[in-house]
Amino acid sequence: MYHSIDIEHWERRELYEHFSRLKMPHYAVAANIDVTSLLQYKRREGLSFYLSLIYLTTAVLNSIDDFKLRIVNGKVVHFDTIHTNFTHKRPEEKVFRYHTAPFQGTLREYVEATTAAMAKQTTLFGGLGDIQNVVYCSCAPNLDATAITNPGMEDADDAIPRVNWGKYVERDGRWMLNITFTANHRFIDGYHIGLFFERLQKAINELDR
């Protein structure tokens, strides 16, 4: 479900119009987060690190209204809920698949339900299908990546955030992970991305409680 935004009375109207003049209004910000608590939680609860981080990422995005903005049929709209879209592959496979899972339930409920759905997937695209109210997540688990770009960013109306990361590495006794956040400047500023990283770190730290 979504509702339309009244552009004429929108506080972001001038910024939206300014960045709408660009052919490619997308940009990326990369930063490190401390995932030590998430790793401890994963080992303690026996849950997938990857799916747990996707859940926490999406929970944070759903807590910030600006990340729910999209363009549908030429109009700016605000979705009620952002779901998860991510790449995955089985250990014996060389090529990956895409899966779109509903964002619902607790972290454990989401991971268990999504794991079961992924196991049944036999096609390239699985789950909810091609929807706009998602976040695209992917991981390059064998690389200590400092930044990751994304293909297919030539559509100026594409407002779906991309969140990418590599492998976590140990630094001074803590486990760190570099995350690249790609956004459309028509909707998202550095302030919002900074808020995302701040709330994601807080959500990870709270797993200790």
Side-chain angles (χ1 to χ4, degrees), residues 12-59:
R12 191 174 179 81
R13 180 178 64 83
E14 287 186 292
L15 276 173
Y16 173 79
E17 292 175 347
H18 170 71
F19 286 109
S20 292
R21 299 186 186 100
L22 303 180
K23 291 182 178 179
M24 195 178 76
H26 303 91
Y27 70 109
V29 176
N32 287 314
I33 61 168
D34 185 335
V35 294
T36 306
S37 295
L38 179 53
L39 273 172
Q40 294 171 344
Y41 180 87
K42 163 195 177 298
R43 292 161 183 161
R44 185 171 68 246
E45 301 295 329
L47 297 177
S48 161
F49 176 92
Y50 184 49
L51 291 180
S52 296
L53 184 52
I54 290 173
Y55 178 91
L56 294 175
T57 292
T58 312

mmCIF file of all heavy atoms in Angstrom, residues 12-59:
data_model
loop_
_atom_site.group_PDB
_atom_site.id
_atom_site.type_symbol
_atom_site.label_atom_id
_atom_site.label_comp_id
_atom_site.label_asym_id
_atom_site.label_seq_id
_atom_site.Cartn_x
_atom_site.Cartn_y
_atom_site.Cartn_z
ATOM 1 N N ARG A 12 10.472 19.075 0.382
ATOM 2 C CA ARG A 12 11.638 18.678 -0.403
ATOM 3 C C ARG A 12 11.488 19.052 -1.883
ATOM 4 O O ARG A 12 12.343 18.711 -2.702
ATOM 5 C CB ARG A 12 11.846 17.169 -0.242
ATOM 6 C CG ARG A 12 13.166 16.674 -0.800
ATOM 7 C CD ARG A 12 13.444 15.214 -0.520
ATOM 8 N NE ARG A 12 14.716 14.867 -1.119
ATOM 9 C CZ ARG A 12 15.889 15.118 -0.562
ATOM 10 N NH1 ARG A 12 15.943 15.689 0.642
ATOM 11 N NH2 ARG A 12 17.006 14.815 -1.183
ATOM 12 N N ARG A 13 10.451 19.754 -2.237
ATOM 13 C CA ARG A 13 10.136 20.006 -3.643
ATOM 14 C C ARG A 13 11.322 20.582 -4.418
ATOM 15 O O ARG A 13 11.658 20.096 -5.502
ATOM 16 C CB ARG A 13 8.942 20.958 -3.761
ATOM 17 C CG ARG A 13 8.558 21.273 -5.216
ATOM 18 C CD ARG A 13 7.355 22.172 -5.276
ATOM 19 N NE ARG A 13 7.638 23.466 -4.675
ATOM 20 C CZ ARG A 13 8.241 24.489 -5.302
ATOM 21 N NH1 ARG A 13 8.637 24.334 -6.562
ATOM 22 N NH2 ARG A 13 8.458 25.632 -4.677
ATOM 23 N N GLU A 14 11.962 21.623 -3.913
ATOM 24 C CA GLU A 14 13.042 22.265 -4.668
ATOM 25 C C GLU A 14 14.238 21.327 -4.856
ATOM 26 O O GLU A 14 14.835 21.285 -5.934
ATOM 27 C CB GLU A 14 13.490 23.546 -3.950
ATOM 28 C CG GLU A 14 12.481 24.678 -4.071
ATOM 29 C CD GLU A 14 13.004 25.977 -3.488
ATOM 30 O OE1 GLU A 14 13.177 26.045 -2.253
ATOM 31 O OE2 GLU A 14 13.264 26.909 -4.267
ATOM 32 N N LEU A 15 14.597 20.570 -3.810
ATOM 33 C CA LEU A 15 15.688 19.611 -3.945
ATOM 34 C C LEU A 15 15.324 18.516 -4.939
ATOM 35 O O LEU A 15 16.139 18.111 -5.771
ATOM 36 C CB LEU A 15 16.010 18.977 -2.579
ATOM 37 C CG LEU A 15 16.948 19.748 -1.661
ATOM 38 C CD1 LEU A 15 17.024 19.077 -0.304
ATOM 39 C CD2 LEU A 15 18.336 19.859 -2.288
ATOM 40 N N TYR A 16 14.087 18.047 -4.851
ATOM 41 C CA TYR A 16 13.619 17.009 -5.772
ATOM 42 C C TYR A 16 13.708 17.491 -7.211
ATOM 43 O O TYR A 16 14.210 16.777 -8.093
ATOM 44 C CB TYR A 16 12.183 16.623 -5.417
ATOM 45 C CG TYR A 16 11.541 15.687 -6.401
ATOM 46 C CD1 TYR A 16 11.818 14.321 -6.384
ATOM 47 C CD2 TYR A 16 10.647 16.160 -7.363
ATOM 48 C CE1 TYR A 16 11.232 13.456 -7.287
ATOM 49 C CE2 TYR A 16 10.060 15.312 -8.274
ATOM 50 C CZ TYR A 16 10.351 13.956 -8.231
ATOM 51 O OH TYR A 16 9.767 13.104 -9.137
ATOM 52 N N GLU A 17 13.264 18.706 -7.463
ATOM 53 C CA GLU A 17 13.307 19.253 -8.817
ATOM 54 C C GLU A 17 14.739 19.501 -9.272
ATOM 55 O O GLU A 17 15.075 19.286 -10.449
ATOM 56 C CB GLU A 17 12.488 20.545 -8.876
ATOM 57 C CG GLU A 17 10.991 20.308 -8.699
ATOM 58 C CD GLU A 17 10.198 21.605 -8.629
ATOM 59 O OE1 GLU A 17 10.841 22.685 -8.470
ATOM 60 O OE2 GLU A 17 8.956 21.551 -8.721
ATOM 61 N N HIS A 18 15.588 19.928 -8.359
ATOM 62 C CA HIS A 18 16.995 20.172 -8.693
ATOM 63 C C HIS A 18 17.683 18.892 -9.153
ATOM 64 O O HIS A 18 18.310 18.861 -10.222
ATOM 65 C CB HIS A 18 17.716 20.753 -7.475
ATOM 66 C CG HIS A 18 19.205 20.826 -7.632
ATOM 67 N ND1 HIS A 18 19.830 21.721 -8.486
ATOM 68 C CD2 HIS A 18 20.203 20.091 -7.060
ATOM 69 C CE1 HIS A 18 21.136 21.548 -8.430
ATOM 70 N NE2 HIS A 18 21.392 20.570 -7.579
ATOM 71 N N PHE A 19 17.558 17.826 -8.375
ATOM 72 C CA PHE A 19 18.232 16.582 -8.734
ATOM 73 C C PHE A 19 17.510 15.830 -9.858
ATOM 74 O O PHE A 19 18.101 14.941 -10.482
ATOM 75 C CB PHE A 19 18.377 15.695 -7.500
ATOM 76 C CG PHE A 19 19.437 16.183 -6.553
ATOM 77 C CD1 PHE A 19 19.090 16.747 -5.327
ATOM 78 C CD2 PHE A 19 20.781 16.113 -6.884
ATOM 79 C CE1 PHE A 19 20.063 17.215 -4.449
ATOM 80 C CE2 PHE A 19 21.764 16.582 -6.022
ATOM 81 C CZ PHE A 19 21.402 17.133 -4.805
ATOM 82 N N SER A 20 16.272 16.218 -10.132
ATOM 83 C CA SER A 20 15.546 15.598 -11.254
ATOM 84 C C SER A 20 16.099 16.047 -12.601
ATOM 85 O O SER A 20 15.826 15.432 -13.631
ATOM 86 C CB SER A 20 14.049 15.937 -11.172
ATOM 87 O OG SER A 20 13.456 15.304 -10.055
ATOM 88 N N ARG A 21 16.888 17.100 -12.601
ATOM 89 C CA ARG A 21 17.483 17.578 -13.852
ATOM 90 C C ARG A 21 18.683 16.730 -14.267
ATOM 91 O O ARG A 21 19.167 16.833 -15.396
ATOM 92 C CB ARG A 21 17.915 19.037 -13.701
ATOM 93 C CG ARG A 21 16.770 19.997 -13.379
ATOM 94 C CD ARG A 21 17.247 21.440 -13.377
ATOM 95 N NE ARG A 21 16.177 22.332 -12.940
ATOM 96 C CZ ARG A 21 16.082 22.819 -11.714
ATOM 97 N NH1 ARG A 21 17.005 22.521 -10.805
ATOM 98 N NH2 ARG A 21 15.085 23.628 -11.381
ATOM 99 N N LEU A 22 19.170 15.901 -13.374
ATOM 100 C CA LEU A 22 20.332 15.070 -13.662
ATOM 101 C C LEU A 22 19.921 13.758 -14.326
ATOM 102 O O LEU A 22 18.881 13.192 -14.005
ATOM 103 C CB LEU A 22 21.093 14.753 -12.370
ATOM 104 C CG LEU A 22 21.585 15.938 -11.543
ATOM 105 C CD1 LEU A 22 22.313 15.436 -10.304
ATOM 106 C CD2 LEU A 22 22.493 16.835 -12.369
ATOM 107 N N LYS A 23 20.756 13.292 -15.251
ATOM 108 C CA LYS A 23 20.481 11.999 -15.886
ATOM 109 C C LYS A 23 20.668 10.845 -14.913
ATOM 110 O O LYS A 23 19.982 9.838 -14.985
ATOM 111 C CB LYS A 23 21.396 11.811 -17.105
ATOM 112 C CG LYS A 23 21.101 12.732 -18.264
ATOM 113 C CD LYS A 23 22.017 12.433 -19.445
ATOM 114 C CE LYS A 23 21.690 13.335 -20.629
ATOM 115 N NZ LYS A 23 22.593 13.059 -21.782
ATOM 116 N N MET A 24 21.620 10.994 -14.011
ATOM 117 C CA MET A 24 21.875 9.950 -13.028
ATOM 118 C C MET A 24 22.054 10.590 -11.649
ATOM 119 O O MET A 24 23.150 10.979 -11.273
ATOM 120 C CB MET A 24 23.122 9.139 -13.399
ATOM 121 C CG MET A 24 23.213 7.825 -12.628
ATOM 122 S SD MET A 24 24.651 6.814 -13.085
ATOM 123 C CE MET A 24 25.964 7.702 -12.236
ATOM 124 N N PRO A 25 20.975 10.709 -10.883
ATOM 125 C CA PRO A 25 21.036 11.380 -9.593
ATOM 126 C C PRO A 25 21.476 10.478 -8.436
ATOM 127 O O PRO A 25 21.314 10.853 -7.271
ATOM 128 C CB PRO A 25 19.587 11.836 -9.396
ATOM 129 C CG PRO A 25 18.787 10.783 -10.089
ATOM 130 C CD PRO A 25 19.604 10.352 -11.274
ATOM 131 N N HIS A 26 22.028 9.324 -8.753
ATOM 132 C CA HIS A 26 22.414 8.382 -7.707
ATOM 133 C C HIS A 26 23.835 8.670 -7.202
ATOM 134 O O HIS A 26 24.686 9.140 -7.944
ATOM 135 C CB HIS A 26 22.337 6.947 -8.229
ATOM 136 C CG HIS A 26 20.988 6.582 -8.758
ATOM 137 N ND1 HIS A 26 20.649 6.757 -10.082
ATOM 138 C CD2 HIS A 26 19.897 6.074 -8.145
ATOM 139 C CE1 HIS A 26 19.404 6.356 -10.275
ATOM 140 N NE2 HIS A 26 18.923 5.951 -9.105
ATOM 141 N N TYR A 27 24.065 8.338 -5.947
ATOM 142 C CA TYR A 27 25.399 8.463 -5.359
ATOM 143 C C TYR A 27 25.539 7.410 -4.264
ATOM 144 O O TYR A 27 24.553 6.805 -3.834
ATOM 145 C CB TYR A 27 25.625 9.868 -4.794
ATOM 146 C CG TYR A 27 24.824 10.186 -3.555
ATOM 147 C CD1 TYR A 27 25.431 10.302 -2.308
ATOM 148 C CD2 TYR A 27 23.436 10.382 -3.628
ATOM 149 C CE1 TYR A 27 24.700 10.601 -1.177
ATOM 150 C CE2 TYR A 27 22.698 10.678 -2.502
ATOM 151 C CZ TYR A 27 23.331 10.782 -1.270
ATOM 152 O OH TYR A 27 22.603 11.065 -0.150
ATOM 153 N N ALA A 28 26.771 7.178 -3.834
ATOM 154 C CA ALA A 28 27.026 6.125 -2.849
ATOM 155 C C ALA A 28 27.899 6.646 -1.714
ATOM 156 O O ALA A 28 28.759 7.504 -1.914
ATOM 157 C CB ALA A 28 27.690 4.921 -3.511
ATOM 158 N N VAL A 29 27.664 6.101 -0.532
ATOM 159 C CA VAL A 29 28.458 6.406 0.655
ATOM 160 C C VAL A 29 28.861 5.085 1.299
ATOM 161 O O VAL A 29 28.022 4.198 1.486
ATOM 162 C CB VAL A 29 27.667 7.252 1.670
ATOM 163 C CG1 VAL A 29 28.479 7.462 2.940
ATOM 164 C CG2 VAL A 29 27.253 8.585 1.059
ATOM 165 N N ALA A 30 30.149 4.945 1.626
ATOM 166 C CA ALA A 30 30.639 3.730 2.267
ATOM 167 C C ALA A 30 31.162 4.066 3.657
ATOM 168 O O ALA A 30 31.832 5.085 3.850
ATOM 169 C CB ALA A 30 31.740 3.079 1.429
ATOM 170 N N ALA A 31 30.843 3.200 4.623
ATOM 171 C CA ALA A 31 31.300 3.422 5.989
ATOM 172 C C ALA A 31 31.407 2.086 6.714
ATOM 173 O O ALA A 31 30.778 1.097 6.317
ATOM 174 C CB ALA A 31 30.347 4.351 6.732
ATOM 175 N N ASN A 32 32.198 2.068 7.768
ATOM 176 C CA ASN A 32 32.377 0.859 8.559
ATOM 177 C C ASN A 32 31.392 0.815 9.725
ATOM 178 O O ASN A 32 31.083 1.851 10.324
ATOM 179 C CB ASN A 32 33.801 0.792 9.131
ATOM 180 C CG ASN A 32 34.835 0.477 8.074
ATOM 181 O OD1 ASN A 32 34.643 -0.427 7.266
ATOM 182 N ND2 ASN A 32 35.925 1.226 8.056
ATOM 183 N N ILE A 33 30.925 -0.394 10.041
ATOM 184 C CA ILE A 33 30.150 -0.587 11.253
ATOM 185 C C ILE A 33 30.764 -1.743 12.034
ATOM 186 O O ILE A 33 31.436 -2.615 11.470
ATOM 187 C CB ILE A 33 28.655 -0.867 10.965
ATOM 188 C CG1 ILE A 33 28.489 -2.151 10.146
ATOM 189 C CG2 ILE A 33 27.990 0.301 10.285
ATOM 190 C CD1 ILE A 33 27.043 -2.611 10.097
ATOM 191 N N ASP A 34 30.525 -1.749 13.325
ATOM 192 C CA ASP A 34 31.027 -2.787 14.209
ATOM 193 C C ASP A 34 29.963 -3.878 14.320
ATOM 194 O O ASP A 34 28.867 -3.637 14.842
ATOM 195 C CB ASP A 34 31.325 -2.163 15.582
ATOM 196 C CG ASP A 34 31.977 -3.148 16.552
ATOM 197 O OD1 ASP A 34 31.788 -4.365 16.400
ATOM 198 O OD2 ASP A 34 32.668 -2.680 17.474
ATOM 199 N N VAL A 35 30.269 -5.068 13.801
ATOM 200 C CA VAL A 35 29.286 -6.159 13.798
ATOM 201 C C VAL A 35 29.630 -7.223 14.831
ATOM 202 O O VAL A 35 29.119 -8.341 14.761
ATOM 203 C CB VAL A 35 29.171 -6.798 12.394
ATOM 204 C CG1 VAL A 35 28.592 -5.810 11.394
ATOM 205 C CG2 VAL A 35 30.520 -7.324 11.912
ATOM 206 N N THR A 36 30.454 -6.890 15.811
ATOM 207 C CA THR A 36 30.847 -7.855 16.834
ATOM 208 C C THR A 36 29.622 -8.440 17.540
ATOM 209 O O THR A 36 29.514 -9.662 17.721
ATOM 210 C CB THR A 36 31.781 -7.200 17.862
ATOM 211 O OG1 THR A 36 32.893 -6.592 17.187
ATOM 212 C CG2 THR A 36 32.291 -8.224 18.860
ATOM 213 N N SER A 37 28.694 -7.598 17.936
ATOM 214 C CA SER A 37 27.492 -8.067 18.643
ATOM 215 C C SER A 37 26.621 -8.945 17.756
ATOM 216 O O SER A 37 25.996 -9.893 18.236
ATOM 217 C CB SER A 37 26.683 -6.879 19.159
ATOM 218 O OG SER A 37 27.410 -6.168 20.141
ATOM 219 N N LEU A 38 26.586 -8.642 16.457
ATOM 220 C CA LEU A 38 25.796 -9.460 15.534
ATOM 221 C C LEU A 38 26.425 -10.838 15.367
ATOM 222 O O LEU A 38 25.724 -11.852 15.297
ATOM 223 C CB LEU A 38 25.673 -8.759 14.186
ATOM 224 C CG LEU A 38 24.881 -9.501 13.095
ATOM 225 C CD1 LEU A 38 23.504 -9.902 13.591
ATOM 226 C CD2 LEU A 38 24.775 -8.654 11.837
ATOM 227 N N LEU A 39 27.748 -10.897 15.306
ATOM 228 C CA LEU A 39 28.427 -12.189 15.217
ATOM 229 C C LEU A 39 28.192 -13.025 16.472
ATOM 230 O O LEU A 39 27.945 -14.236 16.391
ATOM 231 C CB LEU A 39 29.925 -11.974 15.009
ATOM 232 C CG LEU A 39 30.397 -11.817 13.564
ATOM 233 C CD1 LEU A 39 31.866 -11.408 13.539
ATOM 234 C CD2 LEU A 39 30.197 -13.111 12.791
ATOM 235 N N GLN A 40 28.247 -12.393 17.616
ATOM 236 C CA GLN A 40 27.992 -13.097 18.868
ATOM 237 C C GLN A 40 26.548 -13.603 18.913
ATOM 238 O O GLN A 40 26.283 -14.721 19.365
ATOM 239 C CB GLN A 40 28.291 -12.177 20.047
ATOM 240 C CG GLN A 40 29.765 -11.820 20.172
ATOM 241 C CD GLN A 40 30.028 -10.739 21.205
ATOM 242 O OE1 GLN A 40 29.108 -10.034 21.626
ATOM 243 N NE2 GLN A 40 31.285 -10.601 21.613
ATOM 244 N N TYR A 41 25.630 -12.769 18.448
ATOM 245 C CA TYR A 41 24.220 -13.151 18.402
ATOM 246 C C TYR A 41 24.021 -14.331 17.460
ATOM 247 O O TYR A 41 23.302 -15.281 17.784
ATOM 248 C CB TYR A 41 23.384 -11.952 17.946
ATOM 249 C CG TYR A 41 21.908 -12.230 17.851
ATOM 250 C CD1 TYR A 41 21.085 -12.093 18.959
ATOM 251 C CD2 TYR A 41 21.334 -12.622 16.638
ATOM 252 C CE1 TYR A 41 19.717 -12.341 18.879
ATOM 253 C CE2 TYR A 41 19.976 -12.880 16.547
ATOM 254 C CZ TYR A 41 19.177 -12.742 17.668
ATOM 255 O OH TYR A 41 17.824 -13.009 17.573
ATOM 256 N N LYS A 42 24.643 -14.278 16.295
ATOM 257 C CA LYS A 42 24.544 -15.351 15.307
ATOM 258 C C LYS A 42 24.991 -16.685 15.917
ATOM 259 O O LYS A 42 24.331 -17.713 15.762
ATOM 260 C CB LYS A 42 25.399 -15.007 14.095
ATOM 261 C CG LYS A 42 25.728 -16.183 13.172
ATOM 262 C CD LYS A 42 26.854 -15.829 12.240
ATOM 263 C CE LYS A 42 27.268 -16.991 11.344
ATOM 264 N NZ LYS A 42 27.762 -18.151 12.071
ATOM 265 N N ARG A 43 26.127 -16.660 16.592
ATOM 266 C CA ARG A 43 26.657 -17.893 17.172
ATOM 267 C C ARG A 43 25.792 -18.383 18.327
ATOM 268 O O ARG A 43 25.601 -19.589 18.513
ATOM 269 C CB ARG A 43 28.096 -17.655 17.634
ATOM 270 C CG ARG A 43 29.054 -17.419 16.469
ATOM 271 C CD ARG A 43 30.342 -16.752 16.916
ATOM 272 N NE ARG A 43 31.225 -16.479 15.770
ATOM 273 C CZ ARG A 43 32.226 -15.610 15.797
ATOM 274 N NH1 ARG A 43 32.487 -14.923 16.908
ATOM 275 N NH2 ARG A 43 32.974 -15.413 14.723
ATOM 276 N N ARG A 44 25.267 -17.443 19.091
ATOM 277 C CA ARG A 44 24.444 -17.793 20.243
ATOM 278 C C ARG A 44 23.087 -18.356 19.825
ATOM 279 O O ARG A 44 22.593 -19.335 20.395
ATOM 280 C CB ARG A 44 24.260 -16.550 21.116
ATOM 281 C CG ARG A 44 23.511 -16.795 22.420
ATOM 282 C CD ARG A 44 23.572 -15.571 23.308
ATOM 283 N NE ARG A 44 22.827 -14.433 22.772
ATOM 284 C CZ ARG A 44 23.392 -13.299 22.379
ATOM 285 N NH1 ARG A 44 24.703 -13.149 22.412
ATOM 286 N NH2 ARG A 44 22.642 -12.296 21.925
ATOM 287 N N GLU A 45 22.485 -17.765 18.800
ATOM 288 C CA GLU A 45 21.135 -18.139 18.383
ATOM 289 C C GLU A 45 21.113 -19.111 17.208
ATOM 290 O O GLU A 45 20.062 -19.658 16.878
ATOM 291 C CB GLU A 45 20.340 -16.880 18.023
ATOM 292 C CG GLU A 45 20.218 -15.877 19.147
ATOM 293 C CD GLU A 45 19.411 -16.399 20.325
ATOM 294 O OE1 GLU A 45 18.497 -17.222 20.087
ATOM 295 O OE2 GLU A 45 19.686 -15.995 21.467
ATOM 296 N N GLY A 46 22.263 -19.303 16.535
ATOM 297 C CA GLY A 46 22.301 -20.211 15.401
ATOM 298 C C GLY A 46 21.587 -19.688 14.173
ATOM 299 O O GLY A 46 21.016 -20.473 13.407
ATOM 300 N N LEU A 47 21.610 -18.384 13.966
ATOM 301 C CA LEU A 47 20.925 -17.773 12.829
ATOM 302 C C LEU A 47 21.928 -17.260 11.799
ATOM 303 O O LEU A 47 23.079 -16.969 12.120
ATOM 304 C CB LEU A 47 20.054 -16.600 13.299
ATOM 305 C CG LEU A 47 18.902 -16.953 14.248
ATOM 306 C CD1 LEU A 47 18.179 -15.684 14.673
ATOM 307 C CD2 LEU A 47 17.926 -17.922 13.598
ATOM 308 N N SER A 48 21.477 -17.144 10.563
ATOM 309 C CA SER A 48 22.319 -16.644 9.481
ATOM 310 C C SER A 48 22.727 -15.192 9.727
ATOM 311 O O SER A 48 21.875 -14.329 9.969
ATOM 312 C CB SER A 48 21.550 -16.744 8.156
ATOM 313 O OG SER A 48 22.111 -15.914 7.162
ATOM 314 N N PHE A 49 24.032 -14.929 9.658
ATOM 315 C CA PHE A 49 24.530 -13.560 9.772
ATOM 316 C C PHE A 49 23.965 -12.713 8.640
ATOM 317 O O PHE A 49 23.511 -11.583 8.857
ATOM 318 C CB PHE A 49 26.064 -13.565 9.723
ATOM 319 C CG PHE A 49 26.687 -12.191 9.726
ATOM 320 C CD1 PHE A 49 27.057 -11.592 10.917
ATOM 321 C CD2 PHE A 49 26.912 -11.507 8.535
ATOM 322 C CE1 PHE A 49 27.635 -10.319 10.927
ATOM 323 C CE2 PHE A 49 27.486 -10.246 8.533
ATOM 324 C CZ PHE A 49 27.842 -9.647 9.736
ATOM 325 N N TYR A 50 23.998 -13.247 7.434
ATOM 326 C CA TYR A 50 23.559 -12.522 6.239
ATOM 327 C C TYR A 50 22.095 -12.105 6.353
ATOM 328 O O TYR A 50 21.762 -10.918 6.210
ATOM 329 C CB TYR A 50 23.770 -13.420 5.026
ATOM 330 C CG TYR A 50 23.451 -12.803 3.683
ATOM 331 C CD1 TYR A 50 23.937 -11.556 3.321
ATOM 332 C CD2 TYR A 50 22.672 -13.495 2.746
ATOM 333 C CE1 TYR A 50 23.656 -11.001 2.074
ATOM 334 C CE2 TYR A 50 22.393 -12.958 1.499
ATOM 335 C CZ TYR A 50 22.881 -11.703 1.172
ATOM 336 O OH TYR A 50 22.610 -11.165 -0.065
ATOM 337 N N LEU A 51 21.222 -13.050 6.639
ATOM 338 C CA LEU A 51 19.798 -12.731 6.721
ATOM 339 C C LEU A 51 19.493 -11.860 7.936
ATOM 340 O O LEU A 51 18.590 -11.012 7.886
ATOM 341 C CB LEU A 51 18.964 -14.008 6.761
ATOM 342 C CG LEU A 51 18.944 -14.837 5.478
ATOM 343 C CD1 LEU A 51 18.089 -16.082 5.656
ATOM 344 C CD2 LEU A 51 18.425 -14.010 4.292
ATOM 345 N N SER A 52 20.239 -12.046 9.010
ATOM 346 C CA SER A 52 20.034 -11.203 10.192
ATOM 347 C C SER A 52 20.372 -9.753 9.886
ATOM 348 O O SER A 52 19.649 -8.823 10.284
ATOM 349 C CB SER A 52 20.889 -11.708 11.358
ATOM 350 O OG SER A 52 20.495 -12.997 11.764
ATOM 351 N N LEU A 53 21.473 -9.535 9.157
ATOM 352 C CA LEU A 53 21.860 -8.170 8.800
ATOM 353 C C LEU A 53 20.860 -7.561 7.815
ATOM 354 O O LEU A 53 20.543 -6.369 7.898
ATOM 355 C CB LEU A 53 23.268 -8.155 8.206
ATOM 356 C CG LEU A 53 23.855 -6.780 7.865
ATOM 357 C CD1 LEU A 53 23.770 -5.830 9.057
ATOM 358 C CD2 LEU A 53 25.290 -6.912 7.385
ATOM 359 N N ILE A 54 20.349 -8.365 6.901
ATOM 360 C CA ILE A 54 19.318 -7.877 5.973
ATOM 361 C C ILE A 54 18.079 -7.447 6.749
ATOM 362 O O ILE A 54 17.482 -6.397 6.472
ATOM 363 C CB ILE A 54 18.977 -8.959 4.937
ATOM 364 C CG1 ILE A 54 20.146 -9.152 3.961
ATOM 365 C CG2 ILE A 54 17.697 -8.606 4.174
ATOM 366 C CD1 ILE A 54 19.980 -10.314 3.017
ATOM 367 N N TYR A 55 17.679 -8.244 7.723
ATOM 368 C CA TYR A 55 16.507 -7.906 8.536
ATOM 369 C C TYR A 55 16.725 -6.591 9.277
ATOM 370 O O TYR A 55 15.862 -5.699 9.254
ATOM 371 C CB TYR A 55 16.226 -9.033 9.527
ATOM 372 C CG TYR A 55 15.060 -8.752 10.463
ATOM 373 C CD1 TYR A 55 13.762 -9.145 10.126
ATOM 374 C CD2 TYR A 55 15.254 -8.081 11.676
ATOM 375 C CE1 TYR A 55 12.698 -8.877 10.970
ATOM 376 C CE2 TYR A 55 14.201 -7.811 12.520
ATOM 377 C CZ TYR A 55 12.918 -8.214 12.171
ATOM 378 O OH TYR A 55 11.862 -7.943 13.017
ATOM 379 N N LEU A 56 17.872 -6.458 9.940
ATOM 380 C CA LEU A 56 18.150 -5.241 10.702
ATOM 381 C C LEU A 56 18.242 -4.025 9.784
ATOM 382 O O LEU A 56 17.748 -2.938 10.117
ATOM 383 C CB LEU A 56 19.450 -5.405 11.490
ATOM 384 C CG LEU A 56 19.435 -6.465 12.603
ATOM 385 C CD1 LEU A 56 20.824 -6.605 13.209
ATOM 386 C CD2 LEU A 56 18.408 -6.119 13.673
ATOM 387 N N THR A 57 18.864 -4.204 8.617
ATOM 388 C CA THR A 57 18.944 -3.127 7.629
ATOM 389 C C THR A 57 17.557 -2.648 7.227
ATOM 390 O O THR A 57 17.271 -1.439 7.181
ATOM 391 C CB THR A 57 19.713 -3.610 6.381
ATOM 392 O OG1 THR A 57 21.086 -3.828 6.725
ATOM 393 C CG2 THR A 57 19.631 -2.597 5.248
ATOM 394 N N THR A 58 16.680 -3.590 6.950
ATOM 395 C CA THR A 58 15.337 -3.245 6.495
ATOM 396 C C THR A 58 14.507 -2.652 7.620
ATOM 397 O O THR A 58 13.686 -1.748 7.387
ATOM 398 C CB THR A 58 14.638 -4.490 5.912
ATOM 399 O OG1 THR A 58 15.528 -5.135 4.998
ATOM 400 C CG2 THR A 58 13.366 -4.112 5.166
ATOM 401 N N ALA A 59 14.711 -3.134 8.835
ATOM 402 C CA ALA A 59 14.005 -2.560 9.982
ATOM 403 C C ALA A 59 14.361 -1.084 10.140
ATOM 404 O O ALA A 59 13.494 -0.243 10.402
ATOM 405 C CB ALA A 59 14.352 -3.339 11.248
#
